[in-house]
């Protein structure tokens, strides 16, 4: 072996050792990265936006199991539409608009993105002055606005048989508030359901499961649209 050949071989030894060292460092770094990722685990899925339904006995599902009540039917309808959301029922049987106002700040939790306000039926049954109902509902809507919670307003249709003047004044409450707060309006919660023996319970006031499903199905597109606007 010549002197030059020997020198060439020895000169290559540090280069090869250096390359192996660099490769080992890369392997160690890659292993540490994988270990860190495994320890962190998969990223949790974002929580779905919450839709709270603030209402009375129709929302509470009086006479129905919870799975058949209007909020559950709204949830099912939104799911069928591919809308990812959690519908939370906040209905109290017998509640008037005044009762809803008294509890809005604790019944509608801070994580609510959109609130469906479905009150006024008991105001109508009790003959509460429409101006009082309007003032209560306005205060509810203002409270939700202050908390940056979106709103869908659900009305109640007053029949003329209770008095033409009263019915006219009462029925004007919801459109006026919807305009004032730029809120989507579902004019009558019992539209297409009220007056039907097939869709109402025996009391003629509350929907049965089939009626609640119709309400949920009709509400869902409006709620979905409002939710998109709120979470965009």
């Amino acid at each position: 072996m010549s002197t030059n050949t020997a020198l060439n071989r020895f000169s290559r030894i540090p280069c090869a050792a250096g390359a192996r060292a660099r490769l080992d460092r890369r392997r160690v770094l890659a292993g540490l990265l994988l270990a860190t990722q495994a320890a962190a685990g998969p990223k949790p899925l974002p929580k779905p936006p919450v839709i709270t339904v603030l209402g009375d006995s129709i929302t509470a599902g009086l006479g129905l199991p919870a799975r058949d009540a209007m909020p559950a039917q709204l949830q099912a309808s939104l799911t069928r539409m591919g809308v990812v959301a959690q519908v939370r029922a906040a209905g109290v049987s017998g509640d008037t608009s005044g009762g809803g106002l008294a509890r809005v700040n604790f019944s509608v939790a801070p994580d609510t993105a959109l609130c469906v306000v479905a009150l006024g039926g008991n105001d109508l049954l009790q003959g509460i002055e429409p101006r009082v109902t309007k003032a209560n509902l306005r205060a509810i809507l203002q409270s939700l606005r202050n908390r940056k919670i979106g709103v869908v307003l659900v009305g109640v249709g007053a029949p003329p048989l209770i008095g033409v003047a009263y019915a006219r004044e009462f029925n004007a409450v919801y459109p006026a508030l919807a305009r004032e707060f730029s809120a989507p309006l579902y004019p009558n919660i019992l539209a297409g359901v009220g007056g039907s023996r097939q869709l109402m319970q025996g009391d003629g006031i509350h929907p049965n499961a089939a009626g609640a499903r119709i309400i949920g199905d009709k509400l869902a597109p409006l709620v979905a649209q409002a939710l998109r606007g709120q979470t965009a």
Side-chain angles (χ1 to χ4, degrees):
M1 178 185 299
S2 69
T3 302
N4 289 338
T5 302
L7 288 173
N8 288 338
R9 286 184 178 178
F10 281 116
S11 66
R12 287 197 295 270
I13 290 173
C15 295
R20 285 195 297 271
R22 287 194 295 274
L23 181 59
D24 288 342
R25 284 196 296 272
R26 288 173 185 166
R27 287 173 176 168
V28 169
L29 289 173
L32 288 172
L33 180 61
L34 289 172
T36 302
Q37 291 174 343
K43 290 184 178 180
L45 294 174
K47 291 183 178 180
V50 173
I51 300 167
T52 299
V53 186
L54 180 70
D56 47 35
S57 53
I58 293 179
T59 300
L62 183 69
L64 297 173
R67 67 178 180 275
D68 291 333
M70 182 268 280
Q73 301 285 9
L74 176 60
Q75 176 78 76
S77 186
L78 290 170
T79 300
R80 288 192 294 270
M81 293 172 61
V83 177
V84 178
Q86 177 191 350
V87 177
R88 185 180 292 158
V92 173
S93 294
D95 238 4
T96 61
S97 59
L101 175 58
R103 63 185 177 88
V104 61
N105 287 330
F106 64 85
S107 289
V108 182
D111 62 347
T112 298
L114 181 72
C115 182
V116 178
V117 179
L119 289 161
N122 288 307
D123 297 54
L124 179 62
L125 291 174
Q126 295 177 26
I128 293 174
E129 287 293 326
R131 60 179 177 78
V132 175
T133 300
K134 186 175 184 179
N136 290 335
L137 290 174
R138 178 186 284 116
I140 290 171
L141 298 180
Q142 187 61 56
S143 173
L144 295 169
R145 173 184 278 180
N146 292 345
R147 296 168 63 194
K148 296 180 170 34
I149 295 173
V151 168
V152 170
L153 182 60
V154 179
V156 180
L161 60 86
I162 65 171
V164 174
Y166 181 92
R168 185 188 303 115
E169 187 178 357
F170 189 93
N171 288 335
V173 165
Y174 296 93
L177 289 173
R179 288 190 299 269
E180 181 179 341
F181 287 87
S182 300
L185 173 65
Y186 188 79
N188 183 3
I189 192 169
L190 290 177
V193 175
S196 170
R197 291 182 180 179
Q198 287 74 37
L199 301 175
M200 297 293 286
Q201 297 183 43
D203 61 9
I205 297 173
H206 300 94
N208 59 23
R213 175 166 182 164
I214 289 175
I215 296 170
D217 287 347
K218 287 188 171 186
L219 264 175
L222 187 64
V223 169
Q225 184 178 5
L227 183 63
R228 283 193 295 269
Q230 189 67 16
T231 57

